[in-house]
Every structure is written in structure tokens, then in C-alpha cells.
Amino acid sequence: MFRRTFWFTAGAAAGVWATTKVNRKLRQLTPESLAAQAANKAIDAGHRLKDFALDVRAGMVQREAELGEALGLEGAREAELPRQRRMAAIDQAKPSYNKHSYNSNNRNEDH
């Protein structure tokens, strides 16, 4: 009698365990869950890529300073990173346009 009760209980426990495992895996495979996992992995990859780029830039600045000192091109000044091109382009003086130019090549003006 105890033998049958033991095996019945063991089978019920195994069934409950298997059911919870399958349900958990099914929840992981829903489209929302897969999208969230993909987004998290993309964010992590972006952070790793940013850290790598910052490490490369820091190494570049350090190596340029070492080469500058070795070649005597630059004094012992602190090497700076170059400005970003976008900001440099924005900060440049903007050309002024004369609205009332008489020698205009604009073919869309009113005559």
C-alpha cells in the first residue's frame, strides 16, 4: 500500500514539475517576451559598443601623446579629443544671404 502511494505521489509531483516547466517556456516564447528579450540584448550590445569606442578613443589619445613626445612635435600638453564634426559644422559662421540682391540667379523670383 505504501509503495503505491509513494509512486502515485512521485508521479503527481513529476507531472506538476513538468507542467510548470512547459508553461514557463511557453511564456518565454510569446511575441511580447521575445521582443523584450531582443530589445534588452540590443541595449546591452549598444552599451558594450559604446564602452569599446570610449576605450579605443582613450587609447588613441594616449598613443598620440606618446608619439608626440617621442618625436618632439608637441610639448607636454594634454592631448585633447578632436571636436565632433557635426558640432564643428554647426559652430562655423553661417553665411548671410541677401534677400534683395538684384543680380540674383534665382529663377523662382517674381517678375
Side-chain angles (χ1 to χ4, degrees), residues 10-72:
V16 168
W17 176 79
T19 303
T20 56
K21 275 291 234 197
V22 167
N23 285 336
R24 193 176 303 151
K25 188 53 95 172
L26 286 175
R27 269 187 261 121
Q28 287 179 351
L29 296 177
T30 61
E32 295 85 14
S33 178
L34 292 175
Q37 289 174 10
N40 288 339
K41 287 182 181 181
I43 290 171
D44 290 341
H47 288 304
R48 286 192 304 264
L49 185 61
K50 180 183 175 185
D51 291 342
F52 174 73
L54 291 175
D55 289 344
V56 168
R57 289 182 69 96
M60 178 183 69
V61 169
Q62 179 182 0
R63 183 65 179 148
E64 285 180 358
E66 291 171 1
L67 289 173
E69 289 176 9
L71 296 174

Side-chain angles (χ1 to χ4, degrees), residues 2 34 37-38 66 84-85 91:
F2 288 112
L34 292 175
Q37 289 174 10
E66 291 171 1
Q84 293 181 352
R85 291 181 188 175
D91 291 342

